[in-house]
Amino acid sequence: MDINNVVLSSRIRLARNIKDMPFPNRQTKSSANYLLDLVLNVAKENLDFETFKMSNLSEEEIATCMENNIISKDIDLNYGGYAISSDETVSIMVNEEDHIRMQCIITGLNLKKVYDIINDIDTVLMQNLDYAYDSELGFLTACPSNVGTGIRASVMMFLPALTISGGLEELSSTLKNLGITIRGMSGEGSESKGYIYQISNETTLGKSEKQIIQEVESAVIKIYTLEAETIDKIKESNDVNLFDTILRAFGTLTNCYKLSSSEYFELSSLTKLGSELGLIKLKHNDIFDELNYAIKPANLIKLSGKYLNELERDIFRANYVKKMLKSEILEDE
Amino acid sequence: MLCTNCGNNLAVYHTTKDLDGKKIEVHLCNDCMVKQFSIENSNSNNNFFNPIISNDSCKFCGCTFEEFSKTGLLGCPNCYDFFRDKLKSVIGKLQGSTIHYGKENFKGITEYEKEFMELNKQLKEAVYLEDYELASSLKEQILKLKDINGYK
């Protein structure tokens, strides 16, 4: 099984703060505004990033940014903002839990490349801003769980076989002992939607960035091997009930009249598993990576070009998914 | 626009102040802004920090260790200095280490300081890995570097 069917994306975020300035949880209006202008100006002038203040964005625009993981739900909606690169792979959030949270996301497994990109961005910011830094503790952050490197290296993985077989719980405790966390799609405390999990480093101090990245990547490769082995076992098991559930899910996904986003995630994950098991033949295995973003509420509204209420969104979603998937089906010869 | 205080650097912070009933525009560069609010902070009357200072709170932002224990968040980077010992014990439990081995901030430091930090980092690593032979050689190199640069 191709590793790219299991690994969806690699992401690195760095947390940074400006010295002698209160952290966002203790900011006054003027310090928050000062900081926002300071960081956005540096990103605009020195990195040629496009910049946005949350206070100038509409609710729909904010929702789209959150759905596309450009900003997080913890950003300050009054005094926060973000800067983004022209190819949209790098974004810099201002006034979230820390003054600066920068991230880079690319598809597939390549944390080293992601780190090289974000490290260059960080160096430019470091040359133009006065970072809060301590020679003993490293880069200082609002929460000591991020102090030191301020790095969170995470990889999104699609793990249906390990979830169904129940192997994930045991794996999770083994990983914890290695300093690696596995959690649901939207990060900390979230449940997994569609068998998608985030594998990331737990600690940020006492190790170099290179070491942390290596540890996460080697955990990802181990998990991938286990997932591939479990897929083979499922194939051999000839589990009629599971195969029936998968094909029924595919049937619903390509024929229903309305489709909620949670139902989409459930059915599309089973369909993707069906494709990996060879039960369903699709032209491109990554079609769901694209659909996973497109079917979210704000993105659907953007696609349709007009405001849609919940029911209208569910109908639009069903039609969109149907159209996309039907053009992806490979007919048997 | 240049800083209205020092006139040397580009102003990055713009505000108006009330002086004897007259509104005056103030444009400060980063350095003057930090100086200004550090002075204002000592008078406990400024826009950036609004701390209620007590004996056991951070002198910069007013955050207490009890507040940190409740929220898990510190008030400002200077809290790390004010609560260093208590925090190091928390960090040690949380992170399994209290020493940073990653990327360093070399901005605004001299070549000597940069070299000193690099050797010091290698020394910490050597002690952590219990390579005492390397640690001893690194200590000698640090002493030599200090000597050449006129530091004791």
Side-chain angles (χ1 to χ4, degrees):
Chain A
M1 185 171 57
D2 186 350
I3 193 163
N4 289 322
N5 290 343
V6 180
V7 174
L8 307 178
S9 61
S10 302
R11 167 185 181 258
I12 289 185
R13 78 107 168 96
L14 299 177
R16 299 287 186 254
N17 289 280
I18 305 300
K19 76 173 186 183
D20 295 333
M21 296 291 289
F23 289 135
N25 70 83
R26 233 178 162 83
Q27 273 172 330
T28 58
K29 279 183 194 174
S30 50
S31 67
N33 269 328
Y34 164 75
L35 206 120
L36 182 61
D37 286 339
L38 179 75
V39 180
L40 291 186
N41 278 342
V42 169
K44 195 174 182 176
E45 299 298 321
N46 302 82
L47 295 165
D48 206 20
F49 276 23
E50 202 175 347
T51 60
F52 302 89
K53 287 184 178 179
M54 302 314 291
S55 56
N56 295 336
L57 298 179
S58 67
E59 275 182 34
E60 287 79 19
E61 284 169 323
I62 294 173
T64 310
C65 286
M66 287 187 185
E67 284 177 6
N68 294 335
N69 293 329
I70 292 167
I71 56 171
S72 82
K73 59 183 184 339
D74 294 326
I75 195 163
D76 187 325
L77 291 176
N78 297 314
Y79 305 106
Y82 71 93
I84 189 159
S85 62
S86 54
D87 63 359
E88 297 195 354
T89 52
V90 181
S91 63
I92 301 168
M93 260 191 296
V94 187
N95 288 337
E96 201 236 29
E97 183 180 288
D98 291 295
H99 293 148
I100 300 171
R101 288 266 177 120
M102 64 192 99
Q103 66 164 6
C104 177
I105 307 178
I106 60 171
T107 52
L109 178 63
N110 201 342
L111 283 174
K112 199 186 165 300
K113 183 180 167 194
V114 178
Y115 180 68
D116 287 344
I117 296 170
I118 203 73
N119 185 36
D120 286 347
I121 301 289
D122 179 47
T123 303
V124 172
L125 293 185
M126 189 156 81
Q127 282 160 349
N128 290 283
L129 296 164
D130 286 320
Y131 277 170
Y133 180 82
D134 181 280
S135 60
E136 189 179 20
L137 295 168
F139 293 97
L140 303 177
T141 51
C143 179
S145 62
N146 294 313
V147 78
T149 55
I151 194 173
R152 191 75 63 207
S154 51
V155 175
M156 288 282 202
M157 297 185 85
F158 177 64
L159 305 170
L162 281 169
T163 313
I164 291 170
S165 71
L168 217 53
E169 271 181 40
E170 193 190 323
L171 185 68
S172 172
S173 60
T174 315
L175 290 173
K176 206 170 167 52
N177 294 334
L178 299 169
I180 303 287
T181 308
I182 180 162
R183 53 193 168 198
M185 190 162 73
S186 308
E188 218 160 340
S190 67
E191 283 180 13
S192 172
K193 275 186 190 169
Y195 309 131
I196 296 174
Y197 298 88
Q198 194 185 78
I199 284 78
S200 60
N201 58 303
E202 201 168 272
T203 58
T204 54
L205 191 66
K207 289 171 194 164
S208 68
E209 290 83 357
K210 203 176 149 191
Q211 246 178 304
I212 290 170
I213 287 165
Q214 272 171 357
E215 285 176 7
V216 175
E217 280 211 350
S218 77
V220 167
I221 288 165
K222 274 181 205 149
I223 298 168
Y224 156 69
T225 312
L226 274 176
E227 174 69 15
E229 282 169 11
T230 318
I231 287 269
D232 287 343
K233 276 184 201 158
I234 292 178
K235 269 185 199 166
E236 284 163 18
S237 72
N238 204 12
D239 185 338
V240 173
N241 288 333
L242 176 65
F243 294 174
D244 183 59
T245 309
I246 289 170
L247 288 180
R248 278 172 190 274
F250 184 53
T252 309
L253 208 54
T254 46
N255 289 288
C256 63
Y257 193 80
K258 66 183 179 73
L259 183 66
S260 71
S261 90
S262 59
E263 193 183 4
Y264 161 80
F265 275 110
E266 195 189 318
L267 300 177
S268 67
S269 310
L270 284 165
T271 304
K272 199 176 168 190
L273 174 61
S275 150
E276 276 167 21
L277 290 170
L279 291 171
I280 297 161
K281 293 191 172 94
L282 297 173
K283 287 178 196 161
H284 307 96
N285 274 328
D286 57 1
I287 175 72
F288 292 107
D289 301 346
E290 195 186 313
L291 279 175
N292 287 352
Y293 284 104
I295 58 86
K296 290 180 181 179
N299 281 329
L300 276 185
I301 291 172
K302 214 173 162 186
L303 269 174
S304 76
K306 59 176 184 186
Y307 177 76
L308 303 171
N309 65 30
E310 200 179 336
L311 182 64
E312 288 167 339
R313 281 201 304 269
D314 288 353
I315 295 170
F316 189 88
R317 183 182 292 112
N319 275 321
Y320 186 75
V321 171
K322 195 188 302 175
K323 198 177 94 193
M324 294 295 281
L325 281 182
K326 285 203 167 163
S327 66
E328 280 290 320
I329 300 171
L330 274 178
E331 299 296 341
D332 281 333
E333 284 163 18
Chain B
M1 177 182 286
L2 285 176
C3 173
T4 46
N5 192 45
C6 67
N8 294 326
N9 304 319
L10 206 63
V12 290
Y13 176 59
H14 312 277
T15 187
T16 49
K17 285 210 160 186
D18 203 359
L19 198 72
D20 300 330
K22 281 185 189 169
K23 289 222 163 162
I24 295 174
E25 280 191 32
V26 180
H27 309 280
L28 299 174
C29 66
N30 197 36
D31 289 350
C32 290
M33 187 280 303
V34 170
K35 273 181 211 154
Q36 185 93 357
F37 85 74
S38 300
I39 295 163
E40 287 181 358
N41 184 45
S42 63
N43 300 332
S44 294
N45 178 23
N46 72 90
N47 290 332
F48 276 58
F49 285 84
N50 198 9
I52 302 159
I53 306 284
S54 65
N55 285 339
D56 57 354
S57 62
C58 166
K59 299 292 175 284
F60 224 80
C61 70
C63 177
T64 63
F65 198 77
E66 284 63 39
E67 279 178 87
F68 161 69
S69 305
K70 275 185 205 156
T71 62
L73 297 172
L74 292 156
C76 74
N78 299 297
C79 288
Y80 281 91
D81 266 335
F82 282 97
F83 308 122
R84 186 168 290 267
D85 291 341
K86 281 188 195 171
L87 267 180
K88 271 173 80 175
S89 132
V90 174
I91 291 170
K93 282 179 200 152
L94 205 63
Q95 301 264 13
S97 170
T98 54
I99 300 168
H100 175 58
Y101 291 116
K103 181 177 181 174
E104 288 181 331
N105 188 358
F106 288 132
K107 193 194 169 191
I109 65 169
T110 62
E111 274 304 307
Y112 159 72
E113 285 169 324
K114 194 172 171 177
E115 209 174 326
F116 177 81
M117 278 165 75
E118 185 53 40
L119 284 172
N120 215 21
K121 184 183 154 196
Q122 287 176 25
L123 174 65
K124 283 179 196 169
E125 261 174 338
V127 173
Y128 179 72
L129 296 168
E130 297 183 0
D131 186 346
Y132 298 112
E133 206 175 314
L134 179 64
S136 148
S137 132
L138 287 164
K139 256 185 191 170
E140 269 178 38
Q141 285 183 55
I142 290 172
L143 287 174
K144 214 171 173 180
L145 182 73
K146 279 183 164 180
D147 194 39
I148 294 168
N149 288 278
Y151 290 92
K152 280 183 183 175

